[in-house]
Amino acid sequence: MCELLGMSANTPTDLCFSFTGLTQRGGKTGPHKDGWGVSFYEGKGVRSFHDATPSATSEIASMIQGHPIKSKTAICHIRQANVGDINLANTHPFIRELWGRYWVFAHNGQLESFSPKNGIYEPVGDTDSERIFCDVMNYIRAHLPRNATPKQLAEILVKLAQGYAKQGVFNCLLSNGDWLFTFCSTKLASITRRAPFGPARLTDADVTIDFESETTPNDVVSIVATEPLTSDEEWHLYKPGEWKLWQLGEVIAHGQATI
Amino acid sequence: MCELLGMSANTPTDLCFSFTGLTQRGGKTGPHKDGWGVSFYEGKGVRSFHDATPSATSEIASMIQGHPIKSKTAICHIRQANVGDINLANTHPFIRELWGRYWVFAHNGQLESFSPKNGIYEPVGDTDSERIFCDVMNYIRAHLPRNATPKQLAEILVKLAQGYAKQGVFNCLLSNGDWLFTFCSTKLASITRRAPFGPARLTDADVTIDFESETTPNDVVSIVATEPLTSDEEWHLYKPGEWKLWQLGEVIAHGQATI
């Protein structure tokens, strides 16, 4: 299995604190040592880092931990390989362009025998996750108008996710930079931080942060992760089938699908 | 204008030496301070770094200079903005997936009023370069079979490049990881290094390398750049309209187009 980390914020925010926590699980406090990747949106652009080495010891990961890349939306993934070899092409997040935006996807779970219909988007590597992502992108391109609202999109995404979750484990993060769609098939947690901000301590590293000194009173920053990343805050645990659509740090749509 | 750097090699090779030279021109020895990017193929996967800050002072660029990422094919670009704002979405190289491979493109020049036909691939940013890239990708998808040979591809690419070069300045690098297509409209230079390897000195930084200690006798490594990067080696200067298709460090097709 893998671990996911997503961020949705109303102001460009760095992910250093959460990223530091998550990457420990890539070979140090957790077994997810088969590569890692992160994508940060900056406007319509996206800055991605991918590495097939363990995140806990990766030089690139260590540079990101200390280099505050600010973003309103970010998606991160650390991998424990099930389907597909350990190599760069199999490292999440996966990215494709649709309607002049970059869409970014990361998946936790497995749908080993998943075989997508042929379409415009094709996988480059050989993971089930990338096959699913291409299936999602082909379906959206074929069935939605380019000016679809985030809520119209979410409706389609929930139906697709429901279908995948019936065939295996399907926790996912998907974004086009404007919104962040999150679906829980087995495990996902979230937290929204807003004023009054307090301190927080990572579960996986001896690191504490005082969010008050890093934020303004209007900031709203939400983090979604496979498991809570801090030990002294209250995280919301998604139920199986629960989904949330985030924008600017807030939930703008949510629901519960039968899976 | 911008500066380009490409590599084609028969063995995974790091680009640290050439990259160090080129990035000096991004705000130090040259005026190309409006962002930079580099893509390294690793198998079918591609590892990209993009930054909208000057490469000469970028923390990410400095990490890459000291971190030997080995690749058989790489494309790098430093930007001096003409068309399009300075932001991440406008930073080369641009990447799209076609037929299950990542295609990477960087451009030097300008075709200010270039307006592509509608197609599957759409630009995310607002540069003429990305519009051209999408035009190339849409044309290839529509006019070539997926099992086209590199030489069939080159034939089409030369025709397209010829058309663009008649509308403005069009020096480019394009790769799908298997081959590297290079076209010169005004300025491009190349060098092929093979045994017996000697030392070389960068033009833009006080750095010397002894390639013999870094290579094996069978290595063939070719570098293509807007201007020669070393002061003590003999570079081939492309003529306007000249193109070369590289694979594993060797030229596998070349020619001269009327522009």
Side-chain angles (χ1 to χ4, degrees), chain A residues 42 44-51 59-60 63 67 88-89 96-97 99-102 120-124 130 141 146, chain B residues 42 44-51 59-60 63 67 88-89 96-97 99-102 120-124 130 141 146:
Chain A
E42 246 181 67
K44 288 168 76 184
V46 65
R47 187 197 298 270
S48 293
F49 300 88
H50 290 94
D51 206 349
E59 202 176 321
I60 303 175
M63 191 267 303
H67 183 76
L88 199 62
R96 295 291 185 276
E97 175 266 314
W99 301 325
R101 300 292 292 250
Y102 294 118
I120 286 171
Y121 299 99
E122 297 182 36
V124 173
E130 196 186 9
R141 182 185 270 276
R146 57 189 299 138
Chain B
E42 248 181 64
K44 291 168 75 185
V46 65
R47 188 198 298 271
S48 293
F49 300 88
H50 290 94
D51 205 350
E59 200 177 323
I60 302 174
M63 190 268 301
H67 183 75
L88 198 64
R96 295 290 186 278
E97 175 267 314
W99 300 326
R101 299 292 292 249
Y102 293 118
I120 286 172
Y121 298 99
E122 297 182 36
V124 173
E130 195 187 8
R141 183 185 270 276
R146 56 188 301 140

Side-chain angles (χ1 to χ4, degrees), chain B residues 16 39 57 94 106 143 170 176 187 213-214 219-220 227 236:
Chain B
C16 294
S39 295
T57 53
F94 301 107
H143 291 88
F170 183 74
N176 78 344
K187 203 186 266 191
S213 66
E214 309 256 338
D219 293 5
V220 180
E227 299 205 48
H236 164 82

